[in-house]
Amino acid sequence: MTQKERRLYLISELLKEQSGYAGLEIPKNEDGQKRLLRSLFNIRMPRPAGQEFLAVQDAYLQEEIRQKGITDLTDLTPVREGIYLWQGDITTLRCDAIVNAANSQMLGCFVPCRYVLHTVGPIVGGLLTKKDKDLLASCYRSCLELAGQNHIKSIAFCCISTGEFHFPNERAAEIAIQTVKDYKKHTQNKIKVIFNVFKETDLNIYRKLLGVE
């Protein structure tokens, strides 16, 4: 199968599991297909998958990583002492640990790096509440504490709870940055923190908040 055929197969199989998406038209362009596939992966609840699906999924993801290449933390320049901002696919970043924004069954991304830390972020169903904000801060803080306990020297955070979980992007970034700064100040831990963004919107938000030109 070509990479396009694998992608369309995965999308079709995932759509069959989602009765609410019956009749949804699959985008013709590659970018649209990739966005749809990413969303379907994000919202899929844990259930057994057939061997053919798993084989195609593995082949697809391995080829995507091969095409994108691996980015090493040592190739990045910090925007502040011990803090980095990087746009790209978090699964292609080589550092000690990456954080996976998992669903409530703690499932999601399982590669690469030495550690994958799974955290369940809040799902915002309406107006943003103090509880939502406290829960998101707790996600970042607990991952940092776990990293400290395991002597992890570098950790990459994705934009937890944004996107499919509907947490406002700018407020989420503010909480992420402040929680990391508070943790580093309180513990004096020298852990290197990478804020990983995928969308241009989030890149611009973090640039503004971190004072990056």
Side-chain angles (χ1 to χ4, degrees):
M1 297 175 76
T2 66
Q3 194 68 341
K4 180 179 180 180
E5 288 170 339
R6 294 183 185 118
R7 183 168 57 249
L8 291 174
Y9 167 84
L10 293 171
I11 290 173
S12 296
E13 291 300 306
L14 290 169
L15 285 175
K16 289 177 185 177
E17 298 179 348
Q18 302 286 344
S19 58
Y21 291 105
L24 179 69
E25 184 176 351
I26 299 176
K28 302 294 185 185
N29 61 82
E30 181 178 339
D31 287 343
Q33 291 173 8
K34 286 186 174 182
R35 284 194 296 271
L36 176 57
L37 180 58
R38 183 183 181 92
S39 296
L40 291 171
F41 276 142
N42 284 340
I43 65 173
R44 185 185 191 272
M45 298 303 290
R47 61 172 64 91
Q51 290 301 311
E52 182 180 5
F53 180 90
L54 293 175
V56 174
Q57 173 186 252
D58 288 348
Y60 178 80
L61 294 175
Q62 288 172 15
E63 177 59 19
E64 286 294 295
I65 290 175
R66 188 195 68 78
Q67 290 179 9
K68 293 174 182 176
I70 300 296
T71 300
D72 197 285
L73 173 61
T74 57
D75 297 328
L76 305 182
T77 302
V79 295
R80 292 187 182 181
E81 184 178 357
I83 294 181
Y84 299 74
L85 177 61
W86 181 71
Q87 183 180 27
D89 184 343
I90 198 170
T91 64
T92 67
L93 180 62
R94 181 180 290 123
C95 58
D96 280 357
I98 61 173
V99 174
N100 170 45
N103 57 33
S104 58
Q105 281 69 37
M106 302 303 284
L107 295 178
C109 156
F110 293 95
V111 296
C113 301
R114 290 173 54 206
Y115 297 93
V116 177
L117 308 184
H118 299 279
T119 189
V120 181
I123 300 175
V124 179
L127 293 176
L128 191 65
T129 66
K130 183 179 184 300
K131 182 179 179 180
D132 293 328
K133 292 181 279 190
D134 289 345
L135 285 172
L136 184 61
S138 178
C139 288
Y140 285 94
R141 187 166 51 252
S142 61
C143 286
L144 290 165
E145 290 170 351
L146 185 59
Q149 293 166 14
N150 287 276
H151 309 291
I152 290 172
K153 303 299 183 185
S154 58
I155 183 172
F157 285 104
C158 59
C159 299
I160 301 170
S161 279
T162 60
E164 300 296 332
F165 284 13
H166 307 298
F167 205 107
N169 296 55
E170 185 156 2
R171 191 68 188 99
E174 292 171 350
I175 291 170
I177 292 170
Q178 190 61 53
T179 304
V180 168
K181 289 167 67 175
D182 290 346
Y183 172 82
K184 288 170 73 73
K185 181 179 179 180
H186 178 70
T187 63
Q188 298 299 306
N189 192 317
K190 301 298 183 183
I191 188 171
K192 295 178 179 178
V193 176
I194 307 104
F195 290 114
N196 164 247
V197 298
F198 193 75
K199 299 178 180 178
E200 200 72 22
T201 301
D202 291 311
L203 178 64
N204 293 331
I205 289 171
Y206 273 90
R207 277 178 170 165
K208 182 183 73 172
L209 295 174
L210 291 169
V212 180
E213 295 297 333

